[in-house]
Amino acid sequence: MVEVKTLVSNPVLVIGAGVAGLTAATQLADFGIRTVLVDRLPIVGGNAMDLYKAFPTDDCSYCFEGSRLRPGIRKCFYRSAILDQPNIDLKVNTEVTEISGSPGKFQAKLSVGPQYIDSKKCIMCGLCIECSNAFCLPSPQCQPQAVIYDPEMSDEGAKKAEEECPTKAINLGAQPSEETIQVSDIVIATGYHEMKPVSIDEYGYGKIPNVVTQLELAQILDPNGKSGGALVRPSDGGQVKRVMMVQCVGSRDENYYPFCSKICCVYALKHANIITLERDGTQVTVVYMDIRTYDRHERYYRVARDAGVRFVRGRVSRLEACADGTLDIIAYDSLLDKYLKFNVDLFVLSSALEPPKGSAELIESLSLHPASGFVGPADLTSENAVVAADHVYVCGAATGPAEIPESVTQARAVVSMILQSRK
Ligand SMILES: Cc1cc2nc3c(=O)[nH]c(=O)nc-3n(C[C@H](O)[C@H](O)[C@H](O)COP(=O)(O)OP(=O)(O)OC[C@H]3O[C@@H](n4cnc5c(N)ncnc54)[C@H](O)[C@@H]3O)c2cc1C
Ligand code: SF4
Ligand code: SF4
């Protein structure tokens, strides 16, 4: 049964609780502005929660920083007071289904998923995880600090967990609900989705074992991941000694996305350097069209060359799985005008960063300007790239592929514009 609740007030609605949305919401709240922060996932942090080490500082990505020019602004999700900040109403498992009204007086209909776990009550004792596979802790530093429950994995142990939870935090019978809120401004911080290149046949993603994307590689390298940070083959846990990365998968390709995803050269090099410098005796080869290390990130390319990462300018033309779990690869080297043969344990795709599900609907419902499927500025000639329409703002990777410091800086620009509009 769907419960309908109407809440009338005048806060700012922030859609997406990645680094951009979190920054906007926490800063607005700190300035005394009520904020409703929604995310369709059960925890906040967005894609940054899955990056392991993050450029430009190579710190753990659970922490994020704004700009190197402004020190002392690091915020750690673990320490963030997002749940205790009275001006933030955080709604996880929630999506905006309809927006109506007029600028300054929008009505947003929210679809709130079942709240199976009361995060304020959960003490993370782990008893439910022992009882049933339907419960898990998504990450040691997740926010809210609580386990999550997947009804699709439910088993007999789930009922036992509900009965035995020491704080009665579990409600397996929880139902979805709907709320309509009135908000003055909308901040779109919906970020990106890493394309799963199943339809690009030549790379065998989803069909051939040991072909992964860069985000999946980050999870293998993460000490909190399944392998405890050991570089192993997903198929059999065998040690990885040779890695090949291929750039521009689905990006700069008229069949998929014509745009350059901007940051994939930098994070591919970040991963190549981590593997070469921290995993003894592992050889990385990067097959590229152009290496685009913009701005200050050129140093990742220099470090990679010095560390012994091999670069092949060209394209991968054939890939075959071998019986021992390795992959035979033929790559055309356009500088040598030669086909080269490789045998690797892991093949990593630098896949396009695409708009997340629901972006087109959001753009249409607010009559915004699309920019390659992401949210474009209201006025291309204006300096205010974060203004998407009257009382509608956009920040972070919702504008197109963006790194964390850039996303934080844009979120701050949004906060400053909202504050100015209320003077
Ligand atoms: C492999 C890889 C490595 C990277 N490494 C680095 C690095 O080292 N350093 C760096 O600076 N950057 C790195 N990045 C980029 C980094 O991930 C982004 O800069 C950052 O995540 C952008 O934050 P965001 O908040 O804009 O978007 P996201 O992190 O994408 O967050 C968006 C949030 O919005 C939610 N959402 C989306 N649509 C809706 C909707 N309709 N309703 C409700 N919620 C919604 C999502 O669930 C998500 O939580 C890397 C990216 C990749 C793919
Ligand atoms: S048993 Fe209850 S308190 Fe313990 S981790 Fe599970 S939900 Fe949280
Ligand atoms: S950033 Fe590099 S890998 Fe990514 S699309 Fe652009 S050129 Fe290709």
Side-chain angles (χ1 to χ4, degrees):
M1 221 201 24
V2 170
E3 181 201 333
V4 180
K5 204 157 73 181
T6 302
L7 191 104
V8 181
S9 64
N10 201 26
V12 172
L13 170 64
V14 179
I15 310 174
V19 288
L22 280 171
T23 304
T26 46
Q27 297 215 337
L28 285 167
D30 288 348
F31 280 109
I33 296 179
R34 287 198 49 221
T35 308
V36 180
L37 173 61
V38 304
D39 202 293
R40 56 161 62 121
L41 296 179
I43 59 167
V44 304
N47 282 300
M49 293 301 280
D50 295 325
L51 304 183
Y52 176 39
K53 289 184 181 180
F55 63 79
T57 56
D58 298 334
D59 282 325
C60 133
S61 73
Y62 300 135
C63 306
F64 61 94
E65 73 157 10
S67 156
R68 301 222 77 185
L69 300 173
R70 279 169 283 164
I73 49 162
R74 247 164 238 246
K75 271 223 157 108
C76 182
F77 293 132
Y78 181 61
R79 280 182 236 120
S80 100
I82 193 124
L83 290 179
D84 303 321
Q85 162 56 271
N87 286 330
I88 297 181
D89 183 2
L90 172 66
K91 293 181 184 302
V92 287
N93 291 315
T94 299
E95 292 201 62
V96 179
T97 50
E98 203 181 302
I99 298 177
S100 55
S102 54
K105 247 186 172 188
F106 293 107
Q107 272 89 44
K109 201 184 261 187
L110 309 181
S111 164
V112 185
Q115 307 292 305
Y116 296 112
I117 308 290
D118 184 337
S119 59
K120 293 219 159 93
K121 286 188 183 165
C122 175
I123 51 168
M124 302 217 294
C125 68
L127 189 140
C128 54
I129 298 173
E130 283 168 26
C131 292
S132 160
N133 288 332
F135 297 89
C136 75
L137 187 63
S139 125
Q141 296 192 343
C142 61
Q143 287 285 342
Q145 280 272 285
V147 295
I148 57 174
Y149 169 73
D150 179 355
E152 286 184 15
M153 300 274 291
S154 197
D155 50 25
E156 282 187 7
K159 196 78 208 140
K160 181 167 179 267
E162 185 181 32
E163 284 161 10
E164 294 186 6
C165 169
T167 59
K168 299 284 166 236
I170 304 173
N171 174 11
L172 297 184
Q175 294 295 318
S177 62
E178 275 185 6
E179 285 180 31
T180 302
I181 54 170
Q182 185 168 302
V183 294
S184 59
D185 303 84
I186 297 174
V187 179
I188 301 171
T190 44
Y192 69 89
H193 176 257
E194 188 195 43
M195 176 190 177
K196 301 292 166 213
V198 277
S199 54
I200 308 184
D201 283 341
E202 62 263 39
Y203 297 137
Y205 180 82
K207 295 170 204 110
I208 298 179
N210 304 322
V211 179
V212 298
T213 65
Q214 290 286 359
L215 262 185
E216 289 161 355
L217 172 63
Q219 287 301 282
I220 298 175
L221 295 171
D222 188 340
N224 290 317
K226 265 195 233 152
S227 67
L231 183 58
V232 293
R233 297 197 300 215
S235 66
D236 58 2
Q239 205 188 356
V240 170
K241 282 293 176 196
R242 287 144 306 161
V243 179
M244 178 172 278
M245 296 181 181
V246 62
Q247 301 303 99
C248 304
V249 174
S251 306
R252 305 175 70 200
D253 182 337
E254 293 298 332
N255 294 319
Y256 303 95
Y257 295 105
F259 57 82
C260 163
S261 292
K262 189 172 109 175
I263 56 174
C264 15
C265 277
V266 188
Y267 58 66
L269 294 176
K270 171 186 74 170
H271 288 161
N273 293 348
I274 291 171
I275 294 171
T276 313
L277 297 170
E278 298 176 17
R279 307 293 191 279
D280 276 350
T282 308
Q283 175 67 56
V284 181
T285 305
V286 179
V287 181
Y288 69 99
M289 295 206 288
D290 302 290
I291 294 289
R292 295 186 170 177
T293 46
Y294 61 99
D295 197 0
R296 62 214 187 280
H297 302 309
E298 184 68 8
R299 85 177 163 88
Y300 282 86
Y301 181 59
R302 295 219 188 92
V303 171
R305 294 219 76 120
D306 291 347
V309 174
R310 275 201 299 230
F311 289 88
V312 174
R313 187 179 187 281
R315 298 302 287 168
V316 166
S317 46
R318 231 171 54 221
L319 180 139
E320 257 170 47
C322 307
D324 63 357
T326 61
L327 300 153
D328 275 342
I329 293 171
I330 306 285
Y332 172 68
D333 187 322
S334 61
L335 295 179
L336 300 177
D337 189 18
K338 245 186 178 171
Y339 284 93
L340 306 174
K341 189 170 175 192
F342 298 85
N343 178 260
V344 302
D345 300 294
L346 194 64
F347 187 59
V348 186
L349 307 176
S350 294
S351 204
L353 303 185
E354 60 189 6
K357 188 168 74 73
S359 298
E361 292 76 3
L362 197 56
I363 289 170
E364 201 191 322
S365 70
L366 287 163
S367 307
L368 307 179
H369 297 273
S372 302
F374 292 94
V375 180
D379 177 1
L380 276 175
T381 60
S382 151
E383 285 170 13
N384 296 322
V386 296
V387 178
D390 194 8
H391 287 268
V392 182
Y393 304 89
V394 58
C395 54
T399 62
E403 55 172 46
I404 294 171
E406 196 181 357
S407 304
V408 171
T409 306
Q410 288 179 352
R412 290 179 163 171
V414 168
V415 172
S416 137
M417 302 241 24
I418 293 175
L419 290 175
Q420 278 175 38
S421 73
R422 292 190 175 201
K423 265 188 181 167

Coordinates of all heavy atoms in Angstrom, one line a residue, residues 246-252 259-268 288-294 350-352, ligand 3:
V246 N 42.4 -0.5 -22.1 CA 42.1 0.1 -23.4 C 41.2 1.4 -23.2 O 40.3 1.3 -22.4 CB 41.5 -0.9 -24.4 CG1 40.2 -1.5 -24.0 CG2 41.3 -0.3 -25.8
Q247 N 41.6 2.5 -23.8 CA 41.0 3.8 -23.6 C 39.9 4.0 -24.6 O 39.8 3.3 -25.7 CB 42.1 4.9 -23.8 CG 43.2 4.7 -22.8 CD 42.7 4.7 -21.3 OE1 42.6 3.7 -20.7 NE2 42.4 5.9 -20.8
C248 N 39.1 5.0 -24.3 CA 38.0 5.5 -25.3 C 37.0 4.4 -25.6 O 36.7 4.2 -26.8 CB 38.6 6.1 -26.5 SG 39.7 7.4 -26.3
V249 N 36.6 3.6 -24.6 CA 35.6 2.5 -24.9 C 34.2 3.2 -24.8 O 33.7 3.5 -23.8 CB 35.7 1.4 -23.9 CG1 34.6 0.3 -24.1 CG2 37.1 0.8 -24.0
G250 N 33.6 3.3 -26.0 CA 32.2 3.9 -26.0 C 32.3 5.5 -26.1 O 31.3 6.1 -26.3
S251 N 33.4 6.1 -25.8 CA 33.6 7.5 -25.9 C 34.2 7.8 -27.2 O 35.0 7.0 -27.7 CB 34.5 8.1 -24.8 OG 34.1 7.7 -23.5
R252 N 34.1 9.0 -27.7 CA 34.7 9.5 -29.0 C 34.3 8.5 -30.1 O 35.1 8.2 -30.9 CB 36.2 9.6 -28.8 CG 36.6 10.6 -27.7 CD 38.0 10.6 -27.5 NE 38.7 11.3 -28.6 CZ 40.0 11.1 -28.9 NH1 40.7 10.3 -28.1 NH2 40.5 11.8 -29.9
F259 N 31.3 12.2 -27.4 CA 32.1 13.1 -26.6 C 33.2 12.3 -25.9 O 33.2 11.1 -25.8 CB 31.3 13.8 -25.6 CG 30.5 12.9 -24.6 CD1 31.1 12.3 -23.5 CD2 29.1 12.7 -24.9 CE1 30.4 11.5 -22.7 CE2 28.4 11.8 -24.0 CZ 29.1 11.2 -22.9
C260 N 34.3 13.1 -25.5 CA 35.4 12.5 -24.7 C 34.9 12.5 -23.3 O 34.4 13.5 -22.8 CB 36.6 13.4 -24.9 SG 37.9 13.2 -23.7
S261 N 35.1 11.5 -22.6 CA 34.7 11.4 -21.2 C 35.6 12.1 -20.2 O 35.5 12.0 -19.0 CB 34.4 9.9 -20.7 OG 33.3 9.4 -21.4
K262 N 36.6 12.8 -20.7 CA 37.4 13.7 -20.0 C 38.4 13.2 -18.9 O 39.5 13.6 -18.9 CB 36.6 14.9 -19.5 CG 37.4 16.1 -19.0 CD 36.5 17.2 -18.6 CE 36.4 17.5 -17.2 NZ 35.7 18.7 -16.8
I263 N 37.8 12.4 -18.0 CA 38.7 12.0 -16.9 C 39.2 10.6 -17.0 O 40.0 10.2 -16.1 CB 37.9 12.2 -15.5 CG1 36.6 11.5 -15.5 CG2 37.7 13.7 -15.3 CD1 35.9 11.5 -14.1
C264 N 38.8 9.8 -18.0 CA 39.2 8.4 -18.0 C 40.7 8.2 -18.2 O 41.3 7.2 -17.8 CB 38.3 7.5 -18.9 SG 37.3 8.3 -20.1
C265 N 41.3 9.1 -19.0 CA 42.8 9.0 -19.2 C 43.5 9.1 -17.8 O 44.4 8.3 -17.5 CB 43.3 10.0 -20.1 SG 43.1 9.5 -21.9
V266 N 43.0 10.1 -17.0 CA 43.7 10.3 -15.7 C 43.5 9.1 -14.8 O 44.4 8.6 -14.2 CB 43.2 11.6 -15.1 CG1 44.1 11.9 -13.9 CG2 43.2 12.8 -16.0
Y267 N 42.2 8.6 -14.7 CA 42.1 7.5 -13.7 C 42.7 6.2 -14.2 O 43.1 5.4 -13.4 CB 40.6 7.4 -13.1 CG 39.5 7.2 -14.1 CD1 39.3 6.0 -14.8 CD2 38.5 8.1 -14.1 CE1 38.2 5.8 -15.6 CE2 37.3 7.9 -14.9 CZ 37.2 6.8 -15.7 OH 36.1 6.6 -16.5
A268 N 42.7 6.0 -15.5 CA 43.4 4.8 -16.0 C 44.9 4.9 -15.6 O 45.5 3.9 -15.2 CB 43.3 4.8 -17.6
Y288 N 45.9 3.3 -26.4 CA 45.2 4.6 -26.4 C 45.1 5.2 -27.8 O 45.8 4.8 -28.7 CB 45.9 5.6 -25.5 CG 47.3 6.0 -26.1 CD1 47.4 7.2 -26.8 CD2 48.4 5.1 -26.0 CE1 48.7 7.6 -27.3 CE2 49.6 5.5 -26.6 CZ 49.7 6.7 -27.2 OH 50.9 7.1 -27.8
M289 N 44.2 6.2 -28.0 CA 44.1 7.0 -29.2 C 44.9 8.3 -29.0 O 45.7 8.7 -29.8 CB 42.7 7.3 -29.6 CG 41.9 6.0 -30.0 SD 40.5 6.4 -31.1 CE 39.4 7.2 -30.0
D290 N 44.5 9.0 -27.9 CA 45.3 10.1 -27.4 C 45.3 10.0 -25.9 O 44.3 9.5 -25.3 CB 44.5 11.5 -27.7 CG 44.3 11.6 -29.1 OD1 45.2 11.9 -29.9 OD2 43.1 11.6 -29.5
I291 N 46.3 10.5 -25.2 CA 46.3 10.5 -23.8 C 45.9 12.0 -23.4 O 46.7 12.9 -23.7 CB 47.7 10.1 -23.1 CG1 48.0 8.7 -23.4 CG2 47.7 10.4 -21.6 CD1 47.1 7.7 -22.6
R292 N 44.8 12.1 -22.8 CA 44.3 13.5 -22.4 C 44.4 13.7 -20.9 O 43.4 13.5 -20.2 CB 42.9 13.7 -23.0 CG 42.8 13.6 -24.5 CD 41.5 13.9 -25.0 NE 41.5 14.1 -26.5 CZ 40.5 14.3 -27.2 NH1 39.3 14.4 -26.7 NH2 40.6 14.4 -28.5
T293 N 45.6 14.1 -20.5 CA 45.7 14.4 -19.0 C 45.7 15.9 -18.9 O 46.7 16.5 -19.0 CB 47.0 13.8 -18.5 OG1 48.1 14.1 -19.4 CG2 47.0 12.3 -18.3
Y294 N 44.5 16.4 -18.7 CA 44.3 17.8 -18.7 C 44.9 18.4 -17.4 O 45.1 17.7 -16.4 CB 42.8 18.2 -18.8 CG 42.0 17.7 -17.7 CD1 41.6 18.5 -16.6 CD2 41.6 16.3 -17.7 CE1 40.9 18.0 -15.6 CE2 40.8 15.8 -16.6 CZ 40.5 16.7 -15.6 OH 39.7 16.2 -14.6
S350 N 38.3 1.4 -20.3 CA 38.0 2.7 -19.8 C 36.8 3.2 -20.5 O 36.8 3.7 -21.6 CB 39.2 3.7 -20.1 OG 40.3 3.3 -19.4
S351 N 35.7 2.8 -19.9 CA 34.3 2.9 -20.5 C 33.8 4.3 -20.4 O 34.0 5.0 -19.4 CB 33.5 1.9 -19.7 OG 32.4 1.5 -20.5
A352 N 32.9 4.7 -21.3 CA 32.3 6.0 -21.3 C 31.6 6.3 -20.0 O 31.0 5.4 -19.4 CB 31.4 6.2 -22.5
Ligands
SF4_3 S1 39.6 11.0 -21.4 FE1 41.0 9.7 -22.6 S2 40.1 7.6 -22.5 FE2 38.5 9.1 -21.9 S3 37.4 9.5 -23.7 FE3 38.9 11.1 -23.5 S4 40.7 10.4 -24.7 FE4 39.4 8.7 -24.4

